[in-house]
Amino acid sequence: MSKFNKWISMLAVAGILLVGVAGCSSNTDSKTSESNATNTESSVEAETKIEVEYTYENNDYLVDAQWLEENINDENLVIIDARGQKAYDAKHIKNAIPVAWQGLSNMAGKPGDLNWGTVGSDKENLSKLIGSLGINEEKKVVIYAAAQNGWGDDGRIMWTLSKAGLNNVRLLNGGMDYFAQNTSDELLNSEAHEPTAVDFEIKEINEDGNITIDELMKNYNDYKVLDTRAQDEYDGAQKYGEARGGHLPGATLAKYTDLFREDGRLKDKAELEKYFSEELKLNKEDKIVTYCTAGIRSGYMQIVLEMAGYENAKNYDGSYYEWAGSDKTEVEK
């Protein structure tokens, strides 16, 4: 087996082992499923930048079905299917590769262990994993999953790539289902697609959108804490092997699924602003922490908050697994 295939196998195995375990992981059976280079006006960046207009505060996060249809054969584009191997094998977008969030995270130990499921700070290993997917600073990346019918795996992977310093990464608005319903069937198939590995080196892990359990405990009262899980999880249901049921003290329920329209696309600027400011009582200057079970739905939420202009939002990727598994923390029901 080549070195490249070994890395791809690591990603696939990690995804298979965790299917059905983490409440924020990709589970299509049970739920349909500073940049490393300076931001300059170089010719390379001019060629690779994704240009799509949206009406959010920050418009550098999404592409739509039409854009992907028009650019699907771009040799400089990497398309990631984050729904899980089974869903990918059944049918996926042309030229997409399957990537599980677990394969880009620390999976040593078990859920609830300190740092389990987090990205960590191993720059060398993460650099190799990302490079094996054909991704570096010169590539455009589009990631999709199952929108409101999934767990936000695409957002978690985008969040991870951002930590690695990659800024030319976008989410496919509406996910797989919306794309399939609004484009040609010729753009969908079940043929496996393998990327060509490239060299990639992370110069520094970007921690701007991340918070650890130690940081959160130390400055807890400085943050507005958002629980992005479902109502029953917030109320105390232990559906995924959590050590204790409940939620973080004083956390506000902000369900991941409330971010979407019925067709799977994200709510527009006005709808999101109403949700964040009126329903969740957030201000743009607030320090915000998002969490879920394993930092997946909350990773997506952190990205959307940032997109909507809430620039002080951080994802707690250790999330409820880690919090409930610690003997130093409190939970509420």
Side-chain angles (χ1 to χ4, degrees), residues 47-48 67-68 70-79 94-95 133-136 138-141 193-198:
E47 291 175 1
T48 61
W67 186 94
L68 184 55
E70 294 172 353
N71 292 273
I72 200 164
N73 292 316
D74 185 346
E75 294 182 354
N76 206 40
L77 175 65
V78 177
I79 305 171
K94 177 184 175 183
N95 297 332
L133 300 174
I135 298 172
N136 60 19
E138 299 178 7
K139 298 291 185 177
K140 294 172 283 190
V141 182
H193 179 75
E194 292 192 357
T196 300
V198 296

Side-chain angles (χ1 to χ4, degrees), residues 73-103:
N73 292 316
D74 185 346
E75 294 182 354
N76 206 40
L77 175 65
V78 177
I79 305 171
I80 291 176
D81 185 322
R83 298 173 301 150
Q85 190 69 47
K86 187 174 182 179
Y88 175 85
D89 290 342
K91 184 176 288 188
H92 56 262
I93 296 174
K94 177 184 175 183
N95 297 332
I97 59 173
V99 180
W101 69 267
Q102 296 96 330

Side-chain angles (χ1 to χ4, degrees), residues 31-86:
K31 202 161 178 169
T32 41
S33 252
E34 177 136 277
S35 166
N36 291 317
T38 304
N39 184 19
T40 66
E41 295 300 322
S42 67
S43 59
V44 170
E45 188 163 22
E47 291 175 1
T48 61
K49 187 174 182 181
I50 296 175
E51 295 285 0
V52 177
E53 297 228 351
Y54 286 96
T55 58
Y56 302 101
E57 291 296 319
N58 189 326
N59 299 314
D60 294 334
Y61 292 82
L62 301 174
V63 295
D64 57 22
Q66 181 181 353
W67 186 94
L68 184 55
E69 183 174 8
E70 294 172 353
N71 292 273
I72 200 164
N73 292 316
D74 185 346
E75 294 182 354
N76 206 40
L77 175 65
V78 177
I79 305 171
I80 291 176
D81 185 322
R83 298 173 301 150
Q85 190 69 47
K86 187 174 182 179

Side-chain angles (χ1 to χ4, degrees), residues 247-261:
H247 55 265
L248 271 64
T252 298
L253 181 62
K255 294 182 290 184
Y256 158 79
T257 51
D258 287 344
L259 296 174
F260 300 93
R261 294 175 170 180

